[in-house]
Amino acid sequence: MAEQSARPGRWRTGAESKQRILDAARALFRERGYGGTTVRAVATEAGVDPAMVFYFFGNKQSLFAAAVEMSAQLPPAIEAVFAGGLDGLGERIVRTLLENLDASGRTPLAMFTRSAPAEDQSDTLIREYVDREITQRLAKLLDTPDAADRAGMVNVQLLGLTVARYVVRIEPIASSSIDELVSRFGPLVQHCLVGAAGRTAGPDADR
């Protein structure tokens, strides 16, 4: 009887259920990757209804963020980036990146520079998350024959900015305000997305 009366109290707080969901999510993300893990599978593994997963975490993106200890603000920020369409997208991408990295004190994108990413499965998971939730969505939004190349060039810009500001701390990038960096790098990212496709200059370029 004592055990039965204690159990409802634990479930009312939700802490036990939420932790089981997180534990199940971490195990499945490691085993199946980001794309291969579903909310329903996590719920089954945790022994809860899928509705409970949505209640605690909202969606798969936010569940993943919690599982890898990513900023909880990042998934909704990414949604806001895409909600505005192509106009001003470059500036929104740069601002979202910098605001979240500045606020969190962590640099998940900087982990991409490690020479042996297999040493930490979270690095691989984060790359897969970025590929599915940002790179592929950018390419789909552009819907052009060179969309994948353009999305890749955006990644190059963002990675370079991240490394310069947070890893190598190159000045004046490291100490510039977010507004300054958005005004400088936003147009570069926008050009990668929608600018005229150029060609590499060579000895015959002007002939």
Side-chain angles (χ1 to χ4, degrees):
M1 292 294 293
E3 181 179 351
Q4 290 177 349
S5 63
R7 182 165 182 167
R10 293 200 303 269
W11 279 80
R12 277 197 300 270
T13 65
E16 183 182 279
S17 299
K18 186 174 183 179
Q19 187 59 52
R20 288 213 314 274
I21 292 169
L22 272 177
D23 291 342
R26 287 172 179 141
L28 290 179
F29 281 130
R30 286 196 301 268
E31 177 185 340
R32 304 179 184 180
Y34 179 76
T37 300
T38 65
V39 169
R40 183 173 295 277
V42 171
T44 300
E45 182 74 12
V48 302
D49 190 277
M52 185 172 286
V53 180
F54 289 114
Y55 173 77
F56 284 121
F57 298 98
N59 52 36
K60 175 181 171 180
Q61 294 91 327
S62 295
L63 174 62
F64 176 78
V68 300
E69 299 182 357
M70 184 187 295
S71 169
Q73 303 303 314
L74 188 55
I78 291 174
E79 293 304 314
V81 164
F82 285 98
L86 283 173
D87 189 29
L89 181 57
E91 287 80 1
R92 294 198 305 276
I93 290 174
V94 174
R95 184 175 296 279
T96 297
L97 172 74
L98 296 175
E99 286 181 347
N100 279 273
L101 293 186
D102 273 18
S104 69
R106 302 180 65 200
T107 56
L109 291 181
M111 292 189 289
F112 295 176
T113 61
R114 291 181 180 174
S115 59
E119 293 179 357
D120 188 345
Q121 282 186 308
S122 65
D123 292 8
T124 302
L125 283 172
I126 291 173
R127 282 196 297 273
E128 185 183 357
Y129 173 84
V130 170
D131 181 58
R132 284 179 173 268
E133 297 298 333
I134 300 178
T135 307
Q136 291 184 23
R137 290 177 68 179
L138 279 176
K140 184 177 180 180
L141 180 63
L142 293 173
D143 192 26
T144 59
D146 62 347
D149 290 338
R150 289 177 178 272
M153 288 306 299
V154 169
N155 286 338
V156 170
Q157 294 289 337
L158 298 182
L159 180 58
L161 177 56
T162 300
V163 172
R165 183 171 175 84
Y166 301 101
V167 181
V168 185
R169 300 196 61 81
I170 295 175
E171 294 294 353
I173 304 301
S175 59
S176 293
S177 70
I178 290 177
D179 286 341
E180 288 174 328
L181 294 176
V182 169
S183 67
R184 293 172 184 171
F185 287 91
L188 293 177
V189 173
Q190 189 73 13
H191 181 76
C192 290
L193 291 168
V194 299
R199 60 173 178 162
T200 302
D204 299 325
D206 296 326
R207 292 184 183 179

